[in-house]
Amino acid sequence: MLSEGGSFVKGMVMGGLFCAVVSVIGNFSAGPQPSPELHLHHHVKAPTKEELLKLSEAKRRELAQRVRVFCAILVQPRYLQQWVAAKETWSKHCDKAKFYSSESVKALESVDLAEKDDWMKMRKALKHAYEHGKEYSWFLLAEPSTFTVIENLKYLVLNKDPEQPFYLGRTVRSGELEYVEYNSGIVLSAEALRRLLGAFDDPSKCPEQGRAIWKVSEEKELAACLKYTGVFAENAEDAQGRELFHRKAVGALIEEALAQKSGETIGKLSDLAISFSSVPPNQMHVMMFGVYRLRPYGHTFHDSLIFLPPEGSDND
């Protein structure tokens, strides 16, 4: 009888612990449900050529000059070659690019966050970017291995109001939480970042160590904190509904498309793609040549607006 009673007590204790774990996970996944009116947009698409042509040339020029992007690039000293490649290639096209490192590095200029934890590094980098980027309307959070075509990003958000809370990229669902993949690049409007920093000041909404019992990725922590402020993840697409942010390098995506032996293959990739992830340093320079320098003679794209490089930059 004693052994049976002991088993019963053990069962009660284990059951209680299980319920507690489920409760904690549920709270992390779902969080409170903000009012629907706070979420004013769903999947975000780039404007069509026809929509742009309806605008006057003066208006198009004004929009192109108004979109300014601050790039916050989180780097690790042990991947120095990747850092150098990003500095020499795609980051030149940001209106402002800052590299945020976990420790001080003499070889390259960066903001020393003096932090090893990934979530804390992201928090500190975003806070620094906002405080030193008041004149910028959009913020890109990226890894150095994520080759980003900044002009295509500007085109995506051209007619979007940065005073609305946008949180853009390639969305993924985990339970009830939808988040933007970090390795494909995360885009925040100035308003979304402002709300996020407000949540940082409230540990009940956005704790530094997270809510779950085990380690949760920084991209999910970010999404959960934004959700508390009424900001939801948005999947970025072109006018045909094709993805713009990619979790793989362009070579890997083309190989996959060809392996499907479909008649459409490469056509499934958007010609306005914004990012490609996991691009090695040597391929960064290949991408740079293909995107910005190689031009087929006699071929014009008839683009209806131009994004000029930042004044004084060594932009390609």
Side-chain angles (χ1 to χ4, degrees):
M1 291 295 292
L2 286 175
S3 60
E4 291 177 2
S7 298
F8 175 76
V9 171
K10 287 180 182 178
M12 290 290 288
V13 171
M14 292 301 294
L17 287 173
F18 177 76
C19 290
V21 170
V22 171
S23 177
V24 170
I25 295 172
N27 287 337
F28 175 80
S29 300
Q33 301 302 314
S35 301
E37 63 267 22
L38 296 177
H39 187 50
L40 304 177
H41 36 78
H42 300 282
H43 286 210
V44 173
K45 292 192 176 184
T48 63
K49 183 177 180 180
E50 290 71 25
E51 288 173 334
L52 284 184
L53 291 176
K54 290 179 182 178
L55 304 175
S56 67
E57 185 177 345
K59 183 62 176 178
R60 293 198 298 268
R61 191 182 307 114
E62 175 196 338
L63 288 173
Q65 293 173 352
R66 191 174 66 189
V67 179
R68 305 191 71 209
V69 178
F70 185 113
C71 298
I73 306 166
L74 273 62
V75 296
Q76 298 182 52
R78 67 177 181 269
Y79 299 125
L80 199 61
Q81 285 187 322
Q82 194 75 65
W83 182 350
V84 171
K87 185 177 178 64
E88 292 178 346
T89 57
W90 67 268
S91 69
K92 291 181 180 180
H93 289 250
C94 304
D95 293 291
K96 181 74 172 180
K98 278 285 184 185
F99 291 85
Y100 296 90
S101 177
S102 56
E103 59 189 79
S104 178
V105 179
K106 293 181 179 179
L108 294 169
E109 180 182 352
S110 66
V111 177
D112 179 11
L113 299 175
E115 180 62 61
K116 299 294 185 184
D117 181 77
D118 291 334
W119 172 226
M120 287 303 298
K121 278 196 303 184
M122 184 177 283
R123 287 173 66 115
K124 288 184 177 182
L126 288 170
K127 188 173 188 294
H128 182 278
Y130 184 76
E131 292 174 347
H132 293 80
K134 298 290 187 181
E135 68 270 36
Y136 299 95
S137 48
W138 298 90
F139 295 82
L140 169 68
L141 183 66
E143 297 177 326
S145 59
T146 303
F147 188 96
T148 308
V149 184
I150 299 299
E151 291 79 3
N152 287 355
L153 170 55
K154 289 184 174 183
Y155 182 70
L156 169 68
V157 300
L158 183 70
N159 58 354
K160 312 297 187 294
D161 183 0
E163 295 184 5
Q164 286 289 318
F166 284 94
Y167 165 40
L168 310 172
R170 185 182 188 278
T171 58
V172 178
R173 180 173 290 277
S174 176
E176 294 183 17
L177 181 69
E178 196 165 14
Y179 64 95
V180 172
E181 281 189 327
Y182 172 42
N183 65 357
S184 303
I186 297 172
V187 178
L188 295 169
S189 65
E191 171 60 15
L193 187 51
R194 185 193 67 78
R195 293 191 187 189
L196 178 64
L197 263 61
F200 284 172
D201 293 332
D202 187 345
S204 67
K205 293 181 178 179
C206 189
E208 293 183 352
Q209 301 305 321
R211 304 173 185 83
I213 294 175
W214 53 83
K215 181 70 175 176
V216 175
S217 67
E218 64 271 32
E219 58 195 357
K220 293 181 182 179
E221 295 278 17
L222 178 67
C225 291
L226 284 166
K227 189 174 181 181
Y228 270 102
T229 69
V231 183
F232 296 79
E234 310 283 353
N235 196 63
E237 304 164 357
D238 67 9
Q240 286 74 46
R242 295 174 297 187
E243 289 194 342
L244 299 176
F245 291 78
H246 299 282
R247 62 166 63 173
K248 297 181 180 179
V250 63
L253 292 169
I254 291 175
E255 285 180 9
E256 286 182 2
L258 292 173
Q260 293 175 5
K261 298 180 180 178
S262 148
E264 299 178 359
T265 58
I266 312 303
K268 293 181 179 179
L269 298 176
S270 175
D271 53 358
L272 291 173
I274 292 171
S275 73
F276 298 95
S277 182
S278 305
V279 180
N282 62 328
Q283 289 300 312
M284 284 275 179
H285 292 279
V286 174
M287 289 285 293
M288 200 69 180
F289 178 79
V291 172
Y292 290 105
R293 298 172 191 153
L294 182 63
R295 291 288 180 270
Y297 182 78
H299 186 87
T300 58
F301 293 96
H302 301 293
D303 291 333
S304 53
L305 74 162
I306 296 174
F307 293 110
L308 296 175
E311 186 176 350
S313 74
D314 57 352
N315 198 307
D316 291 274

